[in-house]
Coordinates of all heavy atoms in Angstrom, one line a residue:
N12 N 220.2 -55.9 -140.9 CA 219.0 -56.6 -141.4 C 218.9 -58.0 -140.9 O 218.0 -58.7 -141.4 CB 219.1 -56.5 -142.9 CG 220.3 -57.3 -143.5 OD1 221.2 -57.6 -142.8 ND2 220.2 -57.5 -144.8
A13 N 219.6 -58.4 -139.9 CA 219.5 -59.8 -139.4 C 218.3 -59.9 -138.6 O 217.8 -59.0 -137.9 CB 220.7 -60.1 -138.6
K14 N 217.7 -61.1 -138.7 CA 216.6 -61.4 -137.8 C 217.1 -61.8 -136.4 O 217.8 -62.8 -136.3 CB 215.8 -62.6 -138.5 CG 214.4 -62.8 -137.8 CD 213.7 -63.9 -138.5 CE 212.9 -63.4 -139.7 NZ 212.0 -64.4 -140.2
V15 N 216.7 -61.1 -135.4 CA 217.2 -61.3 -134.1 C 216.0 -61.5 -133.1 O 215.0 -60.8 -133.2 CB 218.1 -60.1 -133.6 CG1 218.5 -60.2 -132.2 CG2 219.2 -59.9 -134.6
F16 N 216.2 -62.4 -132.1 CA 215.2 -62.7 -131.2 C 215.7 -62.3 -129.8 O 216.8 -62.6 -129.4 CB 214.9 -64.2 -131.2 CG 214.4 -64.6 -132.6 CD1 215.4 -65.1 -133.5 CD2 213.1 -64.6 -133.0 CE1 215.0 -65.6 -134.7 CE2 212.7 -65.0 -134.2 CZ 213.6 -65.5 -135.1
E17 N 214.8 -61.6 -129.1 CA 215.1 -61.2 -127.7 C 214.6 -62.3 -126.8 O 213.4 -62.7 -126.9 CB 214.4 -59.9 -127.4 CG 214.8 -59.3 -126.0 CD 214.2 -57.9 -125.8 OE1 214.0 -57.2 -126.8 OE2 214.0 -57.6 -124.6
K18 N 215.5 -62.9 -126.0 CA 215.2 -64.1 -125.2 C 215.6 -63.9 -123.8 O 216.5 -63.0 -123.5 CB 215.9 -65.3 -125.8 CG 215.6 -65.6 -127.2 CD 214.4 -66.5 -127.2 CE 214.3 -67.2 -128.5 NZ 213.4 -68.3 -128.4
N19 N 215.1 -64.7 -122.9 CA 215.5 -64.8 -121.5 C 216.1 -66.2 -121.3 O 215.5 -67.2 -121.7 CB 214.3 -64.7 -120.5 CG 214.0 -63.2 -120.3 OD1 214.9 -62.4 -120.3 ND2 212.7 -62.9 -120.2
C20 N 217.2 -66.3 -120.8 CA 217.9 -67.6 -120.5 C 217.1 -68.4 -119.5 O 216.7 -67.9 -118.5 CB 219.3 -67.4 -120.0 SG 220.2 -68.9 -119.6
L21 N 216.8 -69.7 -119.9 CA 216.0 -70.5 -119.0 C 216.8 -70.9 -117.8 O 216.2 -71.3 -116.8 CB 215.7 -71.8 -119.8 CG 214.7 -71.6 -120.9 CD1 214.4 -73.0 -121.6 CD2 213.4 -71.0 -120.5
W22 N 218.1 -70.8 -117.8 CA 218.9 -71.2 -116.6 C 219.1 -70.0 -115.6 O 218.8 -70.1 -114.5 CB 220.2 -71.8 -117.0 CG 221.0 -72.4 -115.9 CD1 222.1 -71.9 -115.3 CD2 220.6 -73.6 -115.1 NE1 222.5 -72.6 -114.2 CE2 221.6 -73.7 -114.1 CE3 219.6 -74.5 -115.2 CZ2 221.6 -74.7 -113.2 CZ3 219.6 -75.6 -114.3 CH2 220.6 -75.7 -113.3
C23 N 219.7 -68.9 -116.2 CA 220.1 -67.8 -115.3 C 219.2 -66.6 -115.4 O 219.3 -65.7 -114.5 CB 221.5 -67.4 -115.6 SG 221.7 -66.6 -117.2
G24 N 218.3 -66.6 -116.4 CA 217.3 -65.5 -116.5 C 217.9 -64.2 -117.1 O 217.2 -63.2 -117.2
T25 N 219.1 -64.3 -117.7 CA 219.7 -63.1 -118.3 C 218.9 -62.8 -119.6 O 218.6 -63.7 -120.4 CB 221.1 -63.4 -118.7 OG1 221.8 -63.7 -117.5 CG2 221.8 -62.2 -119.3
L26 N 218.7 -61.5 -119.9 CA 218.1 -61.1 -121.2 C 219.2 -61.0 -122.2 O 220.2 -60.4 -122.0 CB 217.4 -59.7 -121.0 CG 216.7 -59.2 -122.2 CD1 215.5 -60.0 -122.6 CD2 216.3 -57.7 -122.0
Y27 N 219.0 -61.7 -123.4 CA 220.1 -61.7 -124.4 C 219.4 -61.7 -125.8 O 218.2 -61.9 -125.9 CB 221.0 -62.9 -124.2 CG 220.3 -64.2 -124.5 CD1 220.5 -64.9 -125.7 CD2 219.5 -64.8 -123.6 CE1 219.9 -66.1 -126.0 CE2 218.9 -66.0 -123.8 CZ 219.1 -66.7 -125.0 OH 218.5 -67.9 -125.3
F28 N 220.2 -61.5 -126.8 CA 219.7 -61.5 -128.2 C 220.3 -62.8 -128.9 O 221.5 -63.1 -128.7 CB 220.2 -60.3 -128.9 CG 219.5 -59.0 -128.4 CD1 220.1 -58.3 -127.4 CD2 218.3 -58.6 -128.9 CE1 219.5 -57.1 -126.9 CE2 217.7 -57.5 -128.4 CZ 218.3 -56.7 -127.4
A29 N 219.4 -63.5 -129.6 CA 219.8 -64.7 -130.2 C 219.5 -64.6 -131.7 O 218.6 -64.0 -132.2 CB 219.0 -65.9 -129.6
S30 N 220.3 -65.3 -132.5 CA 220.1 -65.4 -133.9 C 219.1 -66.5 -134.3 O 218.7 -66.6 -135.4 CB 221.4 -65.5 -134.7 OG 222.1 -66.7 -134.3
R31 N 218.8 -67.4 -133.4 CA 217.9 -68.5 -133.6 C 216.7 -68.4 -132.7 O 216.8 -68.1 -131.6 CB 218.6 -69.9 -133.3 CG 219.8 -70.2 -134.2 CD 220.4 -71.5 -133.8 NE 221.5 -71.8 -134.7 CZ 222.0 -73.0 -134.9 NH1 221.5 -74.0 -134.2 NH2 222.9 -73.2 -135.8
S32 N 215.5 -68.7 -133.3 CA 214.3 -68.6 -132.6 C 214.2 -69.7 -131.5 O 213.4 -69.6 -130.6 CB 213.1 -68.7 -133.5 OG 213.1 -70.0 -134.2
T33 N 215.0 -70.8 -131.7 CA 214.9 -71.9 -130.8 C 215.9 -71.9 -129.6 O 215.9 -72.8 -128.8 CB 215.1 -73.3 -131.5 OG1 216.3 -73.2 -132.2 CG2 214.0 -73.5 -132.6
A34 N 216.7 -70.8 -129.6 CA 217.7 -70.7 -128.5 C 217.0 -70.7 -127.1 O 216.0 -70.0 -127.0 CB 218.5 -69.4 -128.7
K35 N 217.6 -71.4 -126.2 CA 217.0 -71.4 -124.9 C 217.9 -70.8 -123.8 O 217.5 -70.4 -122.8 CB 216.7 -72.9 -124.5 CG 215.7 -73.6 -125.3 CD 215.5 -75.0 -124.9 CE 214.5 -75.7 -125.8 NZ 214.3 -77.1 -125.5
Y36 N 219.3 -70.9 -124.1 CA 220.2 -70.5 -123.1 C 221.1 -69.4 -123.7 O 221.4 -69.3 -124.8 CB 221.1 -71.7 -122.6 CG 220.3 -72.8 -122.1 CD1 220.0 -73.9 -122.9 CD2 219.6 -72.8 -120.9 CE1 219.2 -75.0 -122.5 CE2 218.9 -73.8 -120.4 CZ 218.7 -74.9 -121.2 OH 217.9 -75.9 -120.8
C37 N 221.6 -68.5 -122.8 CA 222.4 -67.4 -123.2 C 223.9 -67.8 -123.6 O 224.5 -67.1 -124.3 CB 222.4 -66.3 -122.1 SG 223.3 -66.8 -120.6
S38 N 224.3 -68.9 -123.0 CA 225.7 -69.3 -123.3 C 225.9 -70.8 -123.1 O 225.0 -71.5 -122.6 CB 226.7 -68.6 -122.3 OG 226.4 -69.0 -120.9
S39 N 227.0 -71.3 -123.5 CA 227.3 -72.7 -123.4 C 227.4 -73.1 -121.9 O 227.1 -74.2 -121.6 CB 228.5 -73.1 -124.2 OG 229.6 -72.4 -123.7
T40 N 227.8 -72.2 -121.1 CA 227.9 -72.4 -119.7 C 226.5 -72.7 -119.1 O 226.4 -73.8 -118.4 CB 228.5 -71.2 -119.0 OG1 229.8 -70.9 -119.5 CG2 228.7 -71.5 -117.5

Side-chain angles (χ1 to χ4, degrees):
N12 61 348
K14 193 178 272 189
V15 177
F16 303 91
E17 188 173 331
K18 300 278 197 160
N19 279 324
C20 180
L21 293 179
W22 187 255
C23 69
T25 302
L26 181 68
Y27 68 101
F28 293 93
S30 57
R31 296 179 178 200
S32 63
T33 58
K35 296 179 182 178
Y36 305 103
C37 66
S38 65
S39 59
T40 304

